[in-house]
């Protein structure tokens, strides 16, 4: 018994020792800086001088001033739309790779899906501007085909353009977790459903989709959380009504010289996004439990 | 009949989706070789001018040099940190393992603006100057989770009996790791170096927050986006970057598969 306990604790010690450099790095450069940002959000700044008296003033401004509230709500709306859109776009592709591609070809297909992701991030967003613009690819082809007389103006410099561009950027990240979940489904369960008389639609809704839910959920969170922090896409294709909270955070930290307010906005955004994610996870757990799975 | 119908529907969607996915990547070289000064249709003619123009742009070379320095150092540090964590998580059970691993993987889902802002606050509060090193610190943080993911797969595929044989023959833990384990996971390490190099080379948001007077390549590109007359050469630059990234990633995938074959496991999954 003691020998066993000694070995287990030695194993634990080795494991902790081995992970400690990475953990220390993350503690020093992620946890400590985040803690400092939280602290900063309770300070105030006029021009270049920072006052270190703790106050809720920044949060009062961040949560009550109409401009910040509007930006926050709009960012949440855009992130939510991007998430839904991306997951819907991604699911059939993940399904296709998992169920219709021969095993040997699967890595090649996954590679094909990730290639466009390695185009320069900035240039890729800029190209969407070219595609959606007044003289762009979409308008050019539609006018050329005689489908419209005047170029469409509602496709660039607004929230639709932001949603489309962000969905394009995140869709490979959504395909991968859904694909992994679909791969884990025991194929004999599908046969069983069929043998018991379920048609393809019922089988999909009662077996495939519930079993793929963990992947769908992971995909949704992987897309939803980081999108809230993007400020390049809104700036390039969003126009004045497509700006998001991250543009304001950047403005406060850089040109407006009000880092504490920027910090309060950043922390608020993170708290809201995390809260939504937790509620989402909880609802999913209840949904799966309710199904008896 | 119904199966055929369903397959066709899925195939149609697949084609539409691939057009959507590849639209920017395909248009990039089209505009890079188009002779018009305006980046729009219709195309006017074929030219190498925009590539030639890049060669005369001095600041571009400085920015490229800065980006290469940052990417190389980031790749090395992120892979070292990734190796520690991947080895610990695949080989040992230790207390709070889930929490610890979740925490070091956190930058994968954290908005990059949060990482950029928090490091900026620390550096300014400590009274330090922004330099290439501040960008490296941020890039190591966001690249490490990718390295851990790639290296965990390598360590998992490792046959433990080789290491045990080495121990039985009297080698120390350290010697076994250097002589047996490391060569077996070397392809994973190379893949991890290449992937983190590529991520760092293209990263903009953190670099924008943490760059002082020295611009990186994406920060330099950001400055160009506002000048319409520079856009065709930007397309040329983007084309070069795309080709470089693809070569690196194909190389990474190739060595990773090679490694999977060496450790006797089936190559599966992608880069993530």
């Amino acid at each position: 018994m003691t020998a066993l306990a000694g070995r287990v604790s030695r194993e634990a010690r080795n494991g902790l020792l081995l992970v400690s450099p990475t953990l220390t790095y993350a503690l020093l450069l992620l946890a400590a800086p985040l803690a400092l940002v939280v602290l900063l959000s309770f300070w105030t700044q006029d021009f270049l001088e920072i006052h270190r008296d703790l106050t809720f003033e920044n949060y009062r401004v961040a949560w009550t001033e109409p401009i910040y509230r509007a930006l926050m709500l709009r960012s949440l709306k855009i992130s939510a739309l991007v998430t839904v859109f991306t997951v819907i776009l991604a699911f059939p592709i993940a399904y296709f790779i998992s169920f219709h591609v021969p095993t040997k070809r699967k890595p090649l297909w996954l590679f094909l899906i990730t290639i466009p992701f390695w185009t320069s991030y900035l240039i890729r967003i800029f190209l969407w501007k070219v595609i959606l613009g007044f003289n762009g690819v979409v308008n050019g082809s539609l006018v050329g085909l005689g489908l419209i007389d005047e170029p469409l103006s509602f496709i660039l410099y607004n929230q639709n353009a932001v949603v489309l561009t962000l969905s394009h950027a995140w869709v490979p990240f959504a395909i991968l977790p859904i694909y992994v979940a679909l791969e884990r489904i025991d194929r004999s369960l599908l046969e069983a459903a069929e043998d018991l008389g379920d048609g393809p639609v019922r089988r999909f809704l009662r077996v495939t989709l519930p079993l793929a839910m963990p992947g769908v959920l992971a995909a949704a969170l992987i897309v939803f959380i980081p999108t809230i922090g993007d400020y390049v896409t809104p700036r390039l294709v969003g126009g004045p009504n497509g700006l998001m909270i991250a543009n304001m955070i950047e403005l406060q930290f850089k040109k407006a010289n009000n880092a504490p307010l920027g910090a309060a906005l950043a922390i608020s955004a993170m708290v809201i996004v995390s809260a939504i994610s937790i509620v989402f996870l909880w609802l999913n757990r209840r949904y799966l439990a309710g199904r008896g799975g | 009949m119904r199966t055929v119908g369903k397959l066709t529907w899925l195939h149609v969607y697949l084609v539409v989706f691939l057009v959507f996915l590849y639209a920017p990547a395909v248009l990039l070289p089209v505009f890079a070789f188009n002779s018009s000064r305006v980046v729009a249709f219709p195309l006017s003619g074929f030219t190498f001018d925009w590539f030639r123009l890049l060669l005369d742009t001095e600041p571009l070379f400085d920015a490229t040099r800065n980006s290469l320095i940052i990417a190389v150092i980031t790749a090395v540090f992120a892979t070292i940190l990734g190796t520690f964590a991947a080895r610990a998580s695949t080989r040992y059970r230790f207390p709070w393992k889930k929490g610890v691993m979740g925490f070091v993987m956190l930058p994968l889902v954290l908005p990059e603006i949060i990482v950029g802002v928090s490091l900026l606050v620390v550096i300014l509060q400590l009274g330090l100057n922004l330099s290439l090193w501040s960008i490296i610190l941020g890039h190591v943080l966001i690249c490490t989770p990718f390295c851990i993911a790639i290296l965990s797969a390598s360590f998992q595929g490792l046959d433990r009996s080789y290491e045990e044989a080495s121990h039985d023959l009297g080698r120390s833990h350290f010697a076994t790791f250097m002589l047996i384990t490391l060569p077996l996971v070397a392809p994973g390490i190379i893949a991890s170096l290449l992937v983190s190099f590529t991520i760092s080379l293209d990263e903009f948001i953190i670099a924008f927050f943490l760059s002082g007077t020295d611009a990186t390549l994406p920060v330099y590109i950001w400055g160009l986006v506002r000048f319409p007359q520079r856009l065709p050469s930007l397309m040329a630059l983007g084309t070069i970057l795309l080709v470089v990234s693809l070569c690196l990633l194909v190389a990474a995938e190739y060595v990773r598969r090679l490694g999977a074959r060496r450790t006797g496991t089936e190559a599966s999954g992608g880069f993530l």
Side-chain angles (χ1 to χ4, degrees):
Chain A
M1 270 313 276
T2 38
L4 185 69
R7 216 189 59 201
V8 167
S9 72
R10 181 142 51 99
E11 180 173 339
R13 212 171 47 229
N14 282 342
L16 281 173
L17 196 66
L18 205 53
V19 84
S20 63
T22 318
L23 182 61
T24 310
Y25 190 86
L27 284 173
L28 283 178
L29 284 132
L30 184 62
L34 278 179
L36 192 62
V37 171
V38 173
L39 193 60
L40 178 69
S41 69
F42 290 104
W43 292 346
T44 50
Q45 176 172 11
D46 39 55
F47 194 51
L48 288 178
E49 205 178 338
I50 287 192
H51 300 287
R52 301 194 174 183
D53 310 317
L54 299 182
T55 163
F56 278 103
E57 182 58 18
N58 298 314
Y59 284 97
R60 194 191 60 75
V61 172
W63 286 77
T64 57
E65 293 272 326
I67 176 162
Y68 302 124
R69 197 193 285 184
L71 272 177
M72 191 75 81
L73 287 174
R74 183 195 292 161
S75 306
L76 289 170
K77 190 183 90 183
I78 290 178
S79 288
L81 281 173
V82 170
T83 308
V84 172
F85 199 52
T86 309
V87 169
I88 292 174
L89 276 177
F91 197 95
I93 302 299
Y95 185 84
F96 172 79
I97 300 175
S98 179
F99 283 80
H100 292 293
V101 172
T103 313
K104 269 195 151 176
R105 293 268 187 80
K106 283 177 181 174
L108 179 70
W109 270 94
L110 292 174
F111 186 51
L112 276 178
I113 298 299
T114 41
I115 286 178
F117 171 68
W118 300 102
T119 334
S120 160
Y121 167 69
L122 292 174
I123 294 178
R124 196 172 47 202
I125 299 170
F126 176 76
L127 279 162
W128 277 106
K129 203 166 141 169
V130 175
I131 295 171
L132 301 173
F134 195 75
N135 295 317
V137 181
V138 172
N139 276 325
S141 344
L142 288 178
V143 171
L145 287 170
L147 290 174
I148 49 170
D149 300 325
E150 296 262 303
L152 307 172
S153 57
F154 66 85
I155 51 177
L156 184 63
Y157 298 129
N158 56 33
Q159 298 175 21
N160 303 340
V162 178
V163 172
L164 185 79
T165 308
L166 281 173
S167 302
H168 178 266
W170 285 100
V171 82
F173 285 98
I175 292 176
L176 293 172
I178 298 174
Y179 165 77
V180 170
L182 289 172
E183 281 292 278
R184 287 203 185 122
I185 296 178
D186 187 344
R187 299 300 195 260
S188 60
L189 290 175
L190 302 178
E191 281 167 27
E194 214 156 63
D195 292 345
L196 293 170
D198 272 358
V201 176
R202 261 175 84 86
R203 190 188 68 180
F204 177 79
L205 289 177
R206 287 176 21 133
V207 183
T208 316
L209 193 59
L211 287 173
M213 262 334 253
V216 171
L217 203 68
L221 293 184
I222 283 176
V223 175
F224 181 66
I225 303 173
T227 351
I228 203 96
D230 195 293
Y231 64 86
V232 179
T233 307
R235 180 81 86 75
L236 283 183
V237 302
N241 287 321
L243 291 181
M244 291 167 68
I245 194 72
N247 297 95
M248 186 51 84
I249 297 173
E250 186 223 335
L251 183 75
Q252 296 298 340
F253 270 97
K254 294 221 149 177
K255 287 204 184 91
N257 262 326
N258 194 347
L261 180 58
L265 289 169
I267 298 293
S268 303
M270 279 316 293
V271 168
I272 295 172
V273 167
S274 311
I276 293 174
S277 305
I278 289 167
V279 169
F280 202 50
L281 282 172
W282 180 75
L283 283 176
N284 177 64
R285 189 167 294 175
R286 280 201 41 173
Y287 162 77
L288 288 180
R291 300 189 59 91
Chain B
M1 266 319 277
R2 192 156 52 187
T3 338
V4 174
K6 211 176 80 186
L7 263 179
T8 318
W9 178 86
L10 200 57
H11 281 122
V12 169
Y13 174 72
L14 190 70
V15 171
V16 173
F17 178 81
L18 287 176
V19 168
F20 166 70
L21 197 65
Y22 274 84
V26 170
L27 285 173
L28 188 59
V30 169
F31 287 121
F33 291 108
N34 178 29
S35 59
S36 168
R37 294 194 157 274
V38 187
V39 179
F41 282 102
L43 301 175
S44 51
F46 185 87
T47 181
F48 279 112
D49 284 358
W50 310 124
F51 289 90
R52 227 170 280 140
L53 197 66
L54 286 179
L55 292 175
D56 300 329
T57 318
E58 195 66 38
L60 175 67
F61 289 100
D62 293 335
T64 309
R65 204 198 53 229
N66 289 338
S67 273
L68 288 176
I69 294 171
I70 292 171
V72 167
I73 299 176
T74 298
V76 171
F77 278 100
T79 301
I80 292 173
L81 290 177
T83 308
F84 278 117
R87 174 70 168 169
S89 82
T90 49
R91 172 76 172 72
Y92 297 101
R93 269 173 303 167
F94 51 89
W96 315 298
K97 183 169 166 177
K98 259 194 155 173
V100 168
M101 292 312 293
F103 175 61
V104 295
M105 295 298 274
L106 188 63
L108 208 56
V109 289
L110 211 60
E112 286 178 10
I113 193 174
I114 300 289
V115 176
V117 158
S118 60
L119 284 174
L120 180 72
V121 167
V122 170
I123 288 166
L124 294 183
Q125 286 295 313
L126 291 175
L128 302 172
N129 286 324
L130 293 171
S131 66
L132 296 186
W133 280 104
S134 44
I135 303 176
I136 292 171
L137 291 177
H139 281 186
V140 170
L141 197 64
I142 60 157
C143 287
T144 304
F146 287 92
C147 298
I148 296 175
I150 294 169
L151 290 162
S152 293
S154 296
F155 280 117
Q156 224 135 40
L158 199 67
D159 190 341
R160 283 273 291 279
S161 56
Y162 292 121
E163 291 172 306
E164 278 159 19
S166 167
H167 288 153
D168 292 345
L169 292 169
R171 294 263 188 218
S172 69
H173 274 284
F174 184 70
T176 301
F177 186 79
M178 296 307 278
L179 292 170
I180 309 291
T181 317
L182 218 47
L184 282 173
V185 295
I189 289 176
I190 293 170
S192 152
L193 285 170
L194 289 172
V195 167
S196 44
F197 176 86
T198 315
I199 293 173
S200 166
L201 202 62
D202 190 38
E203 202 287 328
F204 169 70
I205 292 183
I206 292 173
F208 185 59
F209 267 90
L210 299 179
S211 61
T213 46
D214 295 324
T216 67
L217 199 50
V219 173
Y220 176 72
I221 292 175
W222 178 246
L224 283 189
V225 170
R226 275 168 271 171
F227 300 101
Q229 71 272 22
R230 305 299 307 274
L231 289 176
S233 46
L234 193 62
M235 298 294 113
L237 180 59
T239 306
I240 298 172
L241 288 174
L242 177 61
V243 171
V244 171
S245 301
L246 283 183
C247 291
L248 288 174
L249 289 163
V250 170
E253 180 65 8
Y254 178 74
V255 291
R256 203 185 61 80
R257 295 246 191 114
L258 205 70
R261 214 173 301 146
R262 198 189 291 186
T263 49
T265 49
E266 192 62 28
S268 62
F271 295 112
L272 296 168

